[in-house]
Amino acid sequence: MVSGNLLSRRKRSWRADEFVSRSTLQLLDFDDGSPPEHAWRRKLSSHANRLKEFNVTFREAIRMMKLGLRLWSYIREEASHGRKAPIDPFTREGNRPSASQGVPLGGMGSGSISRGFRGEFKHWQITPGSCEMSPVMANQFSIFVTRGGNKKYASVLAPGQLGGLKKSIDDGISSWDWKLKGDRSTYHALFPRAWTVYDGEPDPELKVSCRQISPFIPHDYQESSLPTSVFVYTLVNTGKERAKVSLLMTWANSIGGLSHHSGGHVNEPFIGKNGVSGVLLHHKTANNNPPVTFAIAACENQNVNVTVLPVFGLSGESSVTAREMWGTMVQDGSFDRDNFSAGPSMPCLLGDTVCAAVSASTWVEPHGRCTVAFALAWSSPKVKFKKGSTYYRRYTKFYGTSPRSAVNLVEDALMKYKHWEEAIDKWQTPILRDERLPEWYKITLFNELYFLVAGGTVWIDSESLVSDADNKLNPSPPEDSNFPFHDSTCNSTVPLIGFDPHEIDDKENVGKFLYLEGIEYFMWCTYDVHFYASFALLDLFPKIELSIQRDFARAVLREDNRRVRFLADGTWGIRKVIGAVAHDLGAHDPWHELNAYNIHDTSRWKDLNPKFVLQIYRDFAATGDKSFGKDVWPAVCTAMEYMEQFDHDGDDMIENDGFPDQTYDAWTVQGVSAYCGCLWLAALQAAAALARSLGHDDYAERCMTRFAKAKSVFEARLWNGSYFNYDSGTSYNSRSIQADQLAGQWYTASSGLPPLFDEDRIKCTLQKIFDYNVMRVKGGRMGAVNGMHPNGKVDDTCMQSREIWTGVTYSLAATMLLHGMEHQAFTTAEGIYIAGWSEEGYGYWFQTPEAWTIDGHYRSLIYMRPLAIWAMQWALSPPRSILEAPKVNTMDRAHISPGTFQFLQDSVRKMTPKNGCFGNTVINWDC
């Protein structure tokens, strides 16, 4: 636990009134219009610099040349079938990423839209696996103010220097008033909410706050699935004249990129319940993807008048142009009420861009205040994968499958958003008020959760699996777990995971959940990375976490014997081996065709099976769910037995096979390794603990007998007096200091199990990593580099050894916290904040990459692993079930016979070196 006196002295990152005057904060302090004290902040005038992607060195390029040629050929083959390869380093987006991201919109799993801190709507992920990065510039909020007869102000509520605007005079959006400079406007982000405060822009006597709210509510498995967001405007008139204020929301019938050019789109006005009215935008997607219907709406009351313009265009050929629409708002501040009876528009022509507008007008008295609320929803009921089945999204369980459910979504959003905020406040307030914690940590902890929305998440209603052909449910899987699956060219409907859509194994009724490894690495629920990220799901949505674990547990017991070529060495093998934990749940046919990753044969990886056992036990211990433990027990036994083939010399310690056979898939490892060996030791202990809990004491004893023997081998081969060597090989990097070498101990401590090693050795190793991997890289201001030579030079053996992995840095900090090293932990993790989130950093906020180099160049934006910051929170506030776990000795728990125990003691004494970080140590078994 964190000591109270250490962190309270830490300097605050910033004060709110450095960005917004204290008087403005006080004026906006009603209806939650004032931004919170703890939030990530930027001026709207801040420059959004272009991000710099990493480059491989010449030596690395030569080494990976054959892999590159095979990968290029594979990417072209997939493209010929209209599919995206899981990993494609050759294709670059036309719109280069920039430091402009903000809090994304909506709940989880129903498609996402991101919104930049300067107001642009971008990063469209409505279609699974597709991310349209470019902003749609017609999607804006604007304001029109009239005072008396002479004073008029009109502006888009986004800075005029935004890209994507034509410079020539035309009838499109460049004809609008882009007068906002942004130097008096600030963005405040605390996921899942964001506040934009316009402090006298464009009207010097009007204070405006826009609050963006999305239904991301921990432990609420209904509201958190909804594809909707609310925008609440708080208006304060500081002038002496009454002001008429009209707020305008405009929206293009588009899902990013050139989707609007496909034609056939229809706009339709609607009047809903409780004063909610707006426009539906029915979007006919290209490439036979399921359609999408947007709803934009505002809430009318006795003080607010809502009108709509169902259709306007961006060119002179349109019946109403963007220029004419703007002129109407400048002149009247509203549209014709008769527009509500216009009915659906004619389908637009190929190449046309049709937009809609909703206006909400009100009068604000001198020194008066007013609130205006808008809502956005997108209804895309079906999820269709390229090679597989079609499913209904989770939210359809509550709102049905009609595209018109978008109307109900915006109605409910505008009625419920205050309840959402109450739940969000109840969740966040205890952490935000914890004076022991640094401010940067509180802010980053919540904002890193952006990935659970913007990370390409898909959440389906597991009771409604839809056949593409005839809209009937798919047949049940066969009884035989060794069923040979059809060739991938066949349209097989047999699920590898083995669920029957009629009687799906969804005991908690939360559906099925997928999230991408990253937007550049297109694989669902990549398991070696989920190992780091899963603390967030377990803490906030534990039923989803258990559902994912059940999916992988079923897959352990199944096989897919289709042939796959592994690109690293060009060999062929089968897609999924019985006993091996799947690398991922697939790409274009998830749950049916696993292991989209094909660089290496992951059935030979050494970390996946131990990670599975460790996550299973942690989740079992944290939730106390006995039925879960019983369900997955056969898979745990099978996964452990599978690992025996990697013990090449019969000493109960697994060995790596001289290729990158773990999550560091470019970093070769030979023999006993610190990373995989430590995970194996932890898995043996976790398997024993689970066995004891389920009444399998004989199995537990066998695991602990192997644990004690393997531990003595591990320490004898790798302990060098101050840390564990990278591996037991003879290469130059075998003595490297690996930042992640205690990953197994991290999980052991997180699960309430006894430590794997003597506490002095654990702390000595962590201190060594801190001194070298953290502090010798820019003074600790970048995170922990993966590999460091003992001479203080970064290990440049490969691309990954010289990288800083954001999620690994967070997990390292969590390990430090678990062992009472608070100063080192927060200094280590703060490096990620400084380099990624601070104004002096590289601009990776709300798109935290997998890695960056020492010069700040990124690899793989919007990546899953940084969710590991929630492992720090787990370490700071472990669940009661973990805290109250019996603290008994490992060997005592195992019921090892006296004779066996004596043999193991003698072996440990013989094989353990006498030198140590804290001088000579004696191992005492308290049995």
Side-chain angles (χ1 to χ4, degrees):
M1 301 297 290
V2 176
S3 57
N5 58 357
L6 175 65
L7 300 176
S8 60
R9 296 196 298 268
R10 294 181 68 88
K11 190 174 181 180
R12 300 177 71 86
S13 304
W14 45 46
R15 294 198 321 273
D17 55 8
E18 290 177 352
F19 284 74
V20 184
S21 68
R22 188 171 296 277
S23 60
T24 298
L25 290 172
Q26 291 171 345
L27 287 171
L28 294 172
D29 191 20
F30 81 103
D31 192 41
D32 292 322
S34 180
E37 178 184 5
H38 303 291
W40 180 89
R41 298 185 174 91
R42 283 295 178 275
K43 290 283 187 183
L44 267 61
S45 56
S46 297
H47 177 64
N49 58 292
R50 297 291 181 185
L51 306 182
K52 297 178 180 179
E53 193 167 11
F54 83 105
N55 292 306
V56 296
T57 65
F58 178 76
R59 184 177 65 177
E60 291 164 352
I62 294 298
R63 190 183 303 147
M64 295 189 294
M65 184 174 294
K66 291 182 179 180
L67 166 61
L69 291 173
R70 296 186 195 106
L71 182 57
W72 171 254
S73 176
Y74 173 70
I75 291 168
R76 292 183 64 184
E77 179 186 353
E78 287 293 283
S80 71
H81 296 290
R83 298 190 296 262
K84 175 182 177 181
I87 300 174
D88 181 1
F90 304 109
T91 304
R92 293 289 177 265
E93 292 284 344
N95 184 45
R96 288 181 58 199
S98 63
S100 60
Q101 291 293 90
V103 174
L105 307 175
M108 300 189 297
S110 295
S112 70
I113 306 167
S114 290
R115 192 178 185 219
F117 73 88
R118 298 185 301 185
E120 65 272 35
F121 294 88
K122 57 199 299 183
H123 274 235
W124 303 75
Q125 295 188 82
I126 306 296
T127 302
S130 173
C131 181
E132 295 286 349
M133 301 179 71
S134 301
V136 176
M137 296 306 297
N139 297 351
Q140 298 289 347
F141 286 100
S142 304
I143 192 168
F144 305 83
V145 185
T146 302
R147 293 179 182 273
N150 301 320
K151 294 182 182 178
K152 283 194 174 185
Y153 305 90
S155 180
V156 179
L157 289 174
Q161 70 268 25
L162 280 171
L165 296 177
K166 293 181 180 179
K167 301 304 179 184
S168 59
I169 298 176
D170 60 17
D171 289 321
I173 61 175
S174 63
S175 64
W176 298 353
D177 294 308
W178 297 81
K179 296 180 179 178
L180 200 76
K181 294 181 179 179
D183 54 347
R184 296 181 61 188
S185 301
T186 56
Y187 180 83
H188 311 251
L190 191 67
F191 180 89
R193 291 183 290 179
W195 292 253
T196 307
V197 176
Y198 308 90
D199 194 358
E201 285 190 282
D203 180 348
E205 296 181 320
L206 189 68
K207 311 294 185 182
V208 181
S209 168
C210 173
R211 187 164 85 261
Q212 173 187 312
I213 308 149
S214 293
F216 182 97
I217 304 167
H219 306 285
D220 189 328
Y221 297 88
Q222 175 171 330
E223 301 298 292
S224 298
S225 71
L226 304 184
T228 185
S229 285
V230 176
F231 306 87
V232 181
Y233 280 86
T234 301
L235 310 172
V236 179
N237 183 5
T238 61
K240 297 180 180 179
E241 295 178 291
R242 190 184 189 209
K244 182 183 179 183
V245 180
S246 296
L247 290 161
L248 177 72
M249 183 180 188
T250 52
W251 201 259
N253 198 325
S254 167
I255 56 172
L258 302 176
S259 68
H260 53 279
H261 289 170
S262 57
H265 314 311
V266 173
N267 291 1
E268 176 187 3
F270 72 89
I271 298 178
K273 298 178 294 185
N274 299 312
V276 176
S277 54
V279 181
L280 289 173
L281 297 89
H282 303 285
H283 185 80
K284 182 181 178 182
T285 56
N287 302 321
N288 201 31
N289 286 313
V292 182
T293 296
F294 294 98
I296 57 172
C299 191
E300 187 169 79
N301 56 44
Q302 60 182 0
N303 299 317
V304 178
N305 179 52
V306 176
T307 56
V308 301
L309 182 63
V311 180
F312 71 90
L314 303 184
S315 65
E317 290 79 26
S318 305
S319 56
V320 178
T321 66
R323 177 188 290 274
E324 291 167 339
M325 182 280 298
W326 191 264
T328 299
M329 287 299 300
V330 170
Q331 179 65 36
D332 303 327
S334 62
F335 302 112
D336 195 325
R337 296 283 306 184
D338 291 341
N339 289 343
F340 281 115
S341 59
S345 66
M346 293 293 293
C348 71
L349 300 176
L350 193 70
D352 281 355
T353 303
V354 292
C355 308
V358 175
S359 167
S361 304
T362 187
W363 287 93
V364 189
E365 300 299 325
H367 306 292
R369 304 173 180 182
C370 186
T371 298
V372 178
F374 291 85
L376 165 70
W378 51 99
S379 176
S380 181
K382 292 182 181 180
V383 178
K384 180 181 179 182
F385 293 100
K386 289 287 185 181
K387 292 170 66 175
S389 304
T390 300
Y391 306 87
Y392 284 121
R393 296 188 192 265
R394 167 74 174 171
Y395 82 90
T396 63
K397 184 178 182 68
F398 317 108
Y399 283 85
T401 59
S402 168
R404 297 188 66 84
S405 63
V407 174
N408 297 329
L409 283 164
V410 289
E411 288 173 350
D412 286 355
L414 286 166
M415 295 300 106
K416 290 182 176 180
Y417 74 85
K418 291 185 178 180
H419 298 292
W420 295 347
E421 290 195 283
E422 289 175 4
I424 292 167
D425 283 333
K426 184 178 180 181
W427 159 46
Q428 293 184 335
T429 298
I431 296 174
L432 296 175
R433 289 183 178 174
D434 190 339
E435 292 297 326
R436 304 168 303 164
L437 303 177
E439 184 179 32
W440 66 262
Y441 168 77
K442 301 173 185 179
I443 294 167
T444 314
L445 178 72
F446 290 113
N447 283 333
E448 287 284 18
L449 290 171
Y450 83 93
F451 187 84
L452 290 177
V453 172
T457 53
V458 171
W459 195 355
I460 68 164
D461 175 14
S462 52
E463 295 176 356
S464 53
L465 179 62
V466 184
S467 168
D468 290 330
D470 57 7
N471 208 38
K472 294 180 181 179
L473 292 176
N474 287 342
S476 304
E479 295 292 330
D480 181 9
S481 64
N482 296 321
F483 178 78
F485 286 82
H486 297 299
D487 184 83
S488 60
T489 57
C490 299
N491 202 8
S492 170
T493 58
V494 180
L496 181 60
I497 292 301
F499 61 76
D500 181 339
H502 293 282
E503 297 180 3
I504 195 162
D505 184 8
D506 183 12
K507 296 183 178 181
E508 298 291 349
N509 194 27
V510 296
K512 292 284 185 180
F513 188 84
L514 300 169
Y515 64 148
L516 288 176
E517 180 177 336
I519 62 167
E520 298 175 35
Y521 293 168
F522 176 47
M523 293 163 281
W524 300 109
C525 296
T526 300
Y527 201 72
D528 56 309
V529 185
H530 179 69
F531 177 75
Y532 297 83
S534 58
F535 281 88
L537 284 175
L538 180 59
D539 199 353
L540 306 176
F541 297 95
K543 294 179 182 180
I544 288 178
E545 166 63 11
L546 296 188
S547 173
I548 292 173
Q549 297 290 51
R550 282 190 165 98
D551 284 345
F552 278 93
R554 294 186 197 97
V556 167
L557 305 176
R558 292 185 170 258
E559 180 173 279
D560 182 347
N561 59 16
R562 285 172 288 191
R563 303 282 288 174
V564 175
R565 191 186 191 195
F566 302 114
L567 304 179
D569 58 10
T571 60
W572 289 79
I574 69 172
R575 179 175 289 278
K576 170 67 182 68
V577 177
I578 290 176
V581 171
H583 173 274
D584 55 77
L585 292 181
H588 299 297
D589 195 4
W591 298 297
H592 296 246
E593 183 182 271
L594 310 187
N595 286 342
Y597 178 90
N598 61 347
I599 304 297
H600 298 288
D601 181 358
T602 58
S603 68
R604 296 177 60 201
W605 277 19
K606 311 306 184 293
D607 64 336
L608 288 170
N609 284 41
K611 285 176 175 177
F612 170 73
V613 175
L614 287 170
Q615 289 185 79
I616 289 292
Y617 181 72
R618 178 206 57 186
D619 296 354
F620 172 79
T623 62
D625 189 331
K626 285 278 188 179
S627 65
F628 169 73
K630 292 176 181 178
D631 289 345
V632 300
W633 175 245
V636 170
C637 293
T638 303
M640 292 297 290
E641 181 181 357
Y642 184 86
M643 291 298 292
E644 293 178 8
Q645 65 183 297
F646 303 125
D647 175 13
H648 301 306
D649 52 10
D651 61 1
D652 287 323
M653 171 49 66
I654 62 169
E655 287 87 29
N656 294 83
D657 285 327
F659 75 100
D661 50 358
Q662 23 75 41
T663 193
Y664 298 90
D665 58 353
W667 198 356
T668 297
V669 58
Q670 181 70 56
V672 178
S673 73
Y675 183 68
C676 294
C678 188
L679 289 171
W680 173 239
L681 289 176
L684 284 167
Q685 185 171 246
L690 181 61
R692 284 192 299 271
S693 298
L694 298 177
H696 305 295
D697 289 344
D698 289 344
Y699 188 92
E701 180 169 345
R702 290 197 299 272
C703 283
M704 290 314 302
T705 300
R706 298 174 67 191
F707 166 79
K709 187 177 177 182
K711 173 186 172 182
S712 65
V713 173
F714 182 86
E715 293 189 312
R717 298 279 184 86
L718 300 180
W719 180 252
N720 62 25
S722 57
Y723 64 95
F724 296 99
N725 289 339
Y726 176 70
D727 65 23
S728 62
T730 58
S731 66
Y732 176 61
N733 73 311
S734 288
R735 282 182 55 84
S736 286
I737 308 163
Q738 185 181 12
D740 212 5
Q741 62 185 275
L742 289 179
Q745 175 55 35
W746 165 41
Y747 255 71
T748 294
S750 297
S751 304
L753 292 171
L756 301 177
F757 314 108
D758 181 83
E759 185 70 17
D760 285 347
R761 288 195 173 183
I762 295 171
K763 287 189 174 181
C764 179
T765 300
L766 292 172
Q767 187 64 46
K768 188 76 171 185
I769 296 169
F770 178 75
D771 291 340
Y772 280 72
N773 301 59
V774 177
M775 297 309 295
R776 295 201 181 194
V777 179
K778 301 288 181 72
R781 299 176 67 80
M782 293 199 73
V785 69
N786 282 336
M788 178 72 77
H789 290 298
N791 63 5
K793 293 184 178 180
V794 172
D795 184 344
D796 61 356
T797 302
C798 68
M799 172 183 73
Q800 293 175 342
S801 63
R802 61 184 172 89
E803 287 179 330
I804 294 160
W805 283 14
T806 52
V808 167
T809 299
Y810 285 141
S811 69
L812 171 62
T815 312
M816 292 171 171
L817 287 172
L818 288 163
H819 292 279
M821 301 172 67
E822 294 106 342
H823 168 73
Q824 294 92 329
F826 282 102
T827 301
T828 296
E830 189 174 13
I832 303 301
Y833 164 77
I834 292 170
W837 289 84
S838 74
E839 267 193 295
E840 63 186 271
Y842 298 104
Y844 298 129
W845 49 81
F846 300 103
Q847 51 189 332
T848 314
E850 155 75 319
W852 51 64
T853 54
I854 292 176
D855 58 1
H857 289 207
Y858 75 88
R859 180 170 62 82
S860 187
L861 291 173
I862 308 184
Y863 196 79
M864 181 198 294
R865 204 180 322 245
L867 285 171
I869 192 173
W870 279 85
M872 295 181 66
Q873 189 59 29
W874 186 273
L876 292 164
S877 302
R880 181 177 298 176
S881 57
I882 298 294
L883 285 173
E884 296 178 354
K887 305 300 181 186
V888 299
N889 183 274
T890 308
M891 306 303 280
D892 183 49
R893 284 182 173 184
H895 309 294
I896 292 178
S897 62
T900 303
F901 174 69
Q902 185 61 49
F903 165 77
L904 294 171
Q905 261 194 325
D906 293 342
S907 298
V908 170
R909 289 195 183 102
K910 290 176 182 177
M911 302 184 71
T912 304
K914 293 184 178 179
N915 59 323
C917 181
F918 296 94
N920 293 338
T921 58
V922 177
I923 299 177
N924 295 311
W925 302 104
D926 298 326
C927 295

